[in-house]
Amino acid sequence: MPFAKQLAACWRMGRTGRSDEALAESRRLYGLAEAAEDGLGMAECLTQIAWFCLQLGLADEGIDCAVAAKELWSQHGRTHGHANASAIYSWLLVEMGLVDEGFAEAETAMRLAEMQPDRGMLAFAMNTKAIALMYCRQDHLAGPLLDRCLELVTGLDARSEEALYRTNLAYSQVSMAEAAESRGDMAEGRRLRELAIVTNDRAIAVAEGCGDSWSLRTALCNGAEYHVLTGNIALARTYLARWEAVAGTVGLRERIHYIYTSAELLTHSGQLAEALALSEEAVALAADNANADHKANTIRRLAEVHEALGNFEQALGLYKQFHTAYQRQMGDVTRRRAQLVEMQLQTRKLQARAAVFEEQAGQDALTGLPNRRRFDAAIEELRGSRFCLGILDLDHFKAVNDSYSHLVGDAVLRRAAELLNGLGWGMQAFRLGGEEFALLFADLDIEPAAAVAEAVREAFSRADWSDLGPGLRVTASIGLAVAGRGMEQAELMAIADRRLYRAKAQGRDRLVATDAVEELEPPAQSFG
């Protein structure tokens, strides 16, 4: 994958609390991958974007990117990537309240992960299934899954994942404590709360040790809440103080969590005026967040503050608002579910329509040149006659995208098409894809076709490209082959491609029209 190192650096950035920078960089890399028509690069970028959106509370964009990533991974037959994107998609669905859909998607992610030997991927998919179960209050089922996640990553270089799974396990243990207490089993509730604090403290230590500030902030905030609920206010304050000292940008999702945890701490310590101000801030922020729980829970906590202040009328009004918000949340879930179905339907319709239009038009949308379908038809028409085929590739085109942007890259492709159209000379040009073009020379033998192809190469080399970018220069390499009677298209293209490879290997900006030197197996290296 051409962008593998940059994507790995982007991922490390997100793991160390720079999720906003990582999101911006993954978006930039996606533009480069798209311009290079690098499907696998696009899939990896979209998967990363979806994850960073989840971290930052941008669920709507995350959903769109996860869906697109799944489609690309599937098209390229990459099960591991598909499993990863499905797991992230599952988590995002649950965050938006689509728990049934999230659970079903987590099952899909697990099935895909089980098809390949990566234990870490299986653990991540299993974790998202556990999250869906926790949202359904099925913590007795989620807990064993999270224990299994920790077993799967034992011995792997997966400290960040371990911190995440321990944080989620602690949350599940607290939920089980609440269930025990509601049954009147206070001793079991106390045992589970103490166990959750131990589990969560281990998550904090692991996250701190590996530098994963997103998991660290989540665990610290949870830890403060656990200590508040057990009456240890002083210790809860130290957790929130540590939260504030963690480096990196704080997403909206994390900010809301921190604010309402702080408000709960202030309420239990009797600082009700400060708790009221923070609770109101949390309610205002949650109104703009897609997280299914935030809207209702922040209103409920604000009502509790008013109740503690003795403002019973306001508290009653807020409790009513909480129930209204809860009902609205259920309506939002139904609406989102319908939108999700419609989005998937529209995506399929658009894909089908685009394919039909492209088939009908036979024209490349960017350059206006005839496309690959028209090229195949033209080759078929020439079958049985003697003609020449040239494969032209723009030299160092990826460097143009990297240095000048993919917008300039698109402009270069359009300019290249204009040049090819303007040259004529008994030659017809087609865009095959990316920076690769086909040149057909009907009724020409190799010598006159080579003279025209050399003139094309010189035209590219002499052209002024600087208006598209300062110092920009674009050259082309061409491999030329002659079609013998009865020669199949695949064989003809293989000869032209082989000669194009030699033109690249010999320094680029040149034409190779013969096999005058001994052919060698191409090394494991790609040329741009």
Side-chain angles (χ1 to χ4, degrees):
M1 191 183 297
F3 308 107
K5 289 184 179 179
Q6 292 160 287
L7 284 164
C10 188
W11 187 248
R12 288 193 296 272
M13 197 185 300
R15 285 300 198 195
T16 53
R18 297 159 61 194
S19 299
D20 60 331
E21 296 176 56
L23 178 59
E25 176 65 5
S26 56
R27 285 169 175 162
R28 186 186 74 83
L29 291 173
Y30 174 77
L32 297 176
E34 185 179 35
E37 298 187 351
D38 176 5
L40 290 175
M42 290 165 64
E44 182 60 37
C45 288
L46 286 166
T47 304
Q48 289 199 14
I49 292 170
W51 175 251
F52 300 137
C53 283
L54 188 150
Q55 289 186 316
L56 294 167
L58 306 173
D60 290 325
E61 181 183 352
I63 287 277
D64 291 342
C65 291
V67 170
K70 287 199 317 162
E71 179 67 24
L72 283 169
W73 288 123
S74 178
Q75 287 175 7
H76 288 82
R78 299 301 176 94
T79 305
H80 184 279
H82 193 173
N84 194 19
S86 283
I88 296 169
Y89 182 44
S90 166
W91 196 339
L92 285 161
L93 288 170
V94 172
E95 288 265 318
M96 297 182 75
L98 299 169
V99 182
D100 290 344
E101 289 80 356
F103 184 84
E105 190 65 33
E107 290 276 16
T108 298
M110 282 185 60
R111 284 198 302 272
L112 290 166
E114 287 167 348
M115 293 168 62
Q116 42 84 48
D118 187 343
R119 288 185 289 142
M121 186 64 256
L122 178 58
F124 185 61
M126 195 174 290
N127 168 71
T128 59
K129 183 177 179 178
I131 289 169
L133 288 167
M134 287 192 290
Y135 268 74
C136 298
R137 310 300 290 180
Q138 300 295 311
D139 296 279
H140 63 291
L141 299 175
L145 281 178
L146 291 164
D147 284 330
R148 177 62 179 149
C149 290
L150 290 167
E151 291 174 11
L152 285 168
V153 298
T154 299
L156 302 180
D157 183 17
R159 302 288 282 169
S160 183
E161 290 80 1
E162 180 189 346
L164 176 62
Y165 306 151
R166 290 189 184 278
T167 301
N168 289 339
L169 179 59
Y171 187 88
S172 180
Q173 289 164 343
V174 167
S175 295
M176 286 190 287
E178 292 173 351
E181 290 161 356
S182 70
R183 297 192 304 267
D185 192 346
M186 307 310 290
E188 177 65 4
R190 183 168 57 255
R191 184 191 73 80
L192 285 167
R193 287 189 186 278
E194 290 171 354
L195 178 61
I197 287 172
V198 172
T199 303
N200 195 69
D201 280 349
R202 177 59 179 158
I204 290 170
V206 173
E208 205 162 30
C210 69
D212 184 346
S213 56
W214 182 72
S215 291
L216 177 58
R217 274 193 294 268
T218 302
L220 284 169
C221 217
N222 285 353
E225 193 169 0
Y226 302 159
H227 284 297
V228 166
L229 294 174
T230 55
N232 199 335
I233 302 300
L235 191 52
R237 289 187 190 279
T238 66
Y239 278 68
L240 290 182
R242 289 173 68 186
W243 188 98
E244 292 166 356
V246 176
T249 303
V250 178
L252 181 59
R253 181 179 185 271
E254 298 170 279
R255 174 63 62 186
I256 294 170
H257 187 192
Y258 170 78
I259 291 172
Y260 69 61
T261 302
S262 299
E264 190 163 19
L265 185 153
L266 292 168
T267 301
H268 280 75
S269 61
Q271 297 172 264
L272 298 179
E274 294 91 336
L276 180 63
L278 281 180
S279 296
E280 288 173 340
E281 182 183 353
V283 168
L285 287 173
D288 296 325
N289 187 252
N291 187 287
D293 284 339
H294 282 339
K295 292 180 176 68
N297 284 341
T298 52
I299 293 171
R300 177 178 59 80
R301 290 170 191 263
L302 179 58
E304 290 169 353
V305 177
H306 276 293
E307 187 176 1
L309 284 165
N311 301 331
F312 299 115
E313 187 174 342
Q314 290 95 323
L316 179 60
L318 282 164
Y319 276 119
K320 289 179 179 178
Q321 190 177 341
F322 163 70
H323 287 293
T324 301
Y326 185 80
Q327 290 172 343
R328 187 179 299 119
Q329 177 180 314
M330 295 302 100
D332 285 346
V333 167
T334 302
R335 176 179 53 79
R336 288 185 184 121
R337 186 170 287 130
Q339 287 176 337
L340 185 64
V341 172
E342 179 64 19
M343 179 181 72
Q344 292 169 339
L345 178 62
Q346 288 301 320
T347 298
R348 288 193 294 269
K349 286 181 178 177
L350 288 172
Q351 288 172 341
R353 188 181 304 168
V356 169
F357 284 168
E358 184 176 355
E359 285 294 302
Q360 290 175 343
Q363 185 178 57
D364 176 61
L366 177 65
T367 64
L369 287 177
N371 62 9
R372 177 61 187 259
R373 178 176 178 271
R374 289 271 296 278
F375 167 72
D376 290 340
I379 288 279
E380 185 61 29
E381 288 177 7
L382 292 171
R383 178 187 288 273
S385 65
R386 190 167 177 81
F387 64 95
C388 289
L389 166 67
I391 303 294
L392 179 150
D393 190 87
L394 301 183
D395 298 324
H396 298 299
F397 184 71
K398 289 181 176 59
V400 174
N401 284 322
D402 290 342
S403 302
Y404 293 93
S405 83
H406 69 277
L407 294 177
V408 172
D410 286 350
V412 166
L413 291 171
R414 285 191 291 268
R415 179 74 58 82
E418 291 171 5
L419 271 173
L420 292 171
N421 266 334
L423 293 173
W425 304 331
M427 171 194 78
Q428 187 176 10
F430 304 79
R431 186 185 180 201
L432 298 182
E435 67 271 30
E436 193 170 67
F437 300 83
L439 312 178
L440 274 185
F441 304 88
D443 302 321
L444 286 186
D445 212 329
I446 192 72
E447 290 82 6
V452 175
E454 177 62 16
V456 169
R457 184 203 62 78
E458 290 178 357
F460 272 80
S461 185
R462 290 195 308 266
D464 182 7
W465 305 85
S466 61
D467 60 313
L468 301 181
L472 177 62
R473 182 170 181 264
V474 177
T475 60
S477 298
I478 305 172
L480 188 66
V482 60
R485 294 188 184 279
M487 183 181 289
E488 293 296 324
Q489 178 179 340
E491 181 184 356
L492 176 63
M493 292 190 71
I495 296 170
D497 275 333
R498 185 175 68 235
R499 292 173 180 175
L500 172 64
Y501 165 78
R502 283 184 49 218
K504 295 281 190 180
Q506 292 173 11
R508 300 177 176 82
D509 188 20
R510 66 189 61 217
L511 165 72
V512 172
T514 67
D515 292 334
V517 299
E518 182 181 356
E519 297 295 342
L520 301 174
E521 284 294 318
Q525 178 181 359
S526 62
F527 294 96

